[in-house]
Amino acid sequence: KNEVEQSPQNLTAQEGEFITINCSYSVGISALHWLQQHPGGGIVSLFMLSSGKKKHGRLIATINIQEKHSSLHITASHPRDSAVYICAVGGKGAQKLVFGQGTRLTINP
Amino acid sequence: GAGVSQSPRYKVAKRGQDVALRCDPISGHVSLFWYQQALGQGPEFLTYFQNEAQLDKSGLPSDRFFAERPEGSVSTLKIQRTQQEDSAVYLCASSLYVTARAGYTFGSGTRLTVV
């Protein structure tokens, strides 16, 4: 079992829909990261959180430390949100990140 | 520079050829990471530098992989005698501090194709 599991692996939705991507992890962490990767490979950091909830524009990230679970929500989705969304965790005392396999999101107009 | 710069963006190598991939982190960033991302997978850790010291190389898949950061800034990942299974995107990330409290900045990656 991977240390970081994401679901779903692929998600296709219509423009305007509310999107939820889930991430579960099995290790103790210092922080959890949500990242966005567009075709071509570059990764952009969206959120880093260790508790509670963060919001940036139409994106919301939540984390439940007790349940070892995080969700990324996108409100009023748009075709430009189409990308791979990756959850990654930084373990306690470890600098490196352990990544999930990513969720490929496609938003159709 | 404003971001993490990686070069080349794309590299095609013949099997058995040696390659060198370069990462220019954000100036002043202490921590530097290399990750390998196979097609359709999440990135996997290769190695970590704190300034010029390579503190963790546990993710390097074989002794054909070698990384250095001699002056604590630019880093080079070298792969000797490339094999087809080395085909992947190689990502570099840097962080301002030893701990990750300032987050990470990723480069655009180098896509290596071994033919």
Side-chain angles (χ1 to χ4, degrees):
Chain A
K1 186 180 187 297
N2 292 334
E3 292 180 357
V4 182
E5 295 275 358
Q6 286 185 237
S7 63
Q9 289 194 0
N10 293 281
L11 178 57
T12 300
Q14 292 299 120
E15 183 173 355
E17 286 189 37
F18 181 81
I19 302 299
T20 296
I21 300 171
N22 295 300
C23 175
S24 296
Y25 54 93
S26 58
V27 296
I29 67 168
S30 58
L32 182 142
H33 302 253
W34 280 103
L35 309 163
Q36 181 192 57
Q37 187 172 35
H38 280 282
I43 289 179
V44 174
S45 180
L46 299 175
F47 294 104
M48 180 173 70
L49 64 165
S50 55
S51 65
K53 175 180 175 179
K54 286 189 175 180
K55 184 175 188 294
H56 185 251
R58 295 181 294 107
L59 301 178
I60 303 166
T62 64
I63 187 169
N64 184 317
I65 297 294
Q66 287 72 30
E67 295 186 2
K68 295 185 176 177
H69 181 269
S70 176
S71 293
L72 176 69
H73 305 286
I74 305 175
T75 62
S77 59
H78 191 275
R80 65 175 175 266
D81 297 326
S82 298
V84 175
Y85 292 84
I86 305 174
C87 170
V89 300
K92 292 183 178 180
Q95 293 86 359
K96 65 187 179 186
L97 293 176
V98 178
F99 292 79
Q101 77 273 33
T103 294
R104 182 173 298 277
L105 174 65
T106 303
I107 303 297
N108 293 318
Chain B
V4 177
S5 177
Q6 291 188 246
S7 61
R9 284 298 314 276
Y10 304 93
K11 175 70 178 177
V12 178
K14 291 184 177 179
R15 191 171 56 182
Q17 186 179 352
D18 296 350
V19 298
L21 312 180
R22 178 186 170 106
C23 173
D24 274 280
I26 293 175
S27 178
H29 274 202
V30 170
S31 298
L32 185 145
F33 303 82
W34 284 98
Y35 293 92
Q36 180 190 57
Q37 186 177 22
L39 187 64
Q41 302 296 316
E44 292 192 355
F45 172 77
L46 291 177
T47 187
Y48 162 65
F49 289 87
Q50 185 182 120
N51 296 308
E52 69 278 4
Q54 189 176 19
L55 298 188
D56 188 346
K57 54 182 181 179
S58 62
L60 296 177
S62 76
D63 59 8
R64 297 187 295 104
F65 286 71
F66 172 77
E68 60 183 5
R69 193 186 185 198
E71 297 179 359
S73 55
V74 171
S75 177
T76 303
L77 176 66
K78 298 179 180 178
I79 308 174
Q80 297 177 325
R81 304 181 304 280
T82 52
Q83 303 295 315
Q84 284 190 320
E85 62 263 28
D86 300 334
S87 296
V89 174
Y90 290 85
L91 291 162
C92 177
S94 70
S95 182
L96 180 59
Y97 302 111
V98 171
T99 62
R101 66 182 188 270
Y104 300 86
T105 303
F106 287 83
S108 296
T110 294
R111 182 177 297 276
L112 173 66
T113 303
V114 181
V115 297

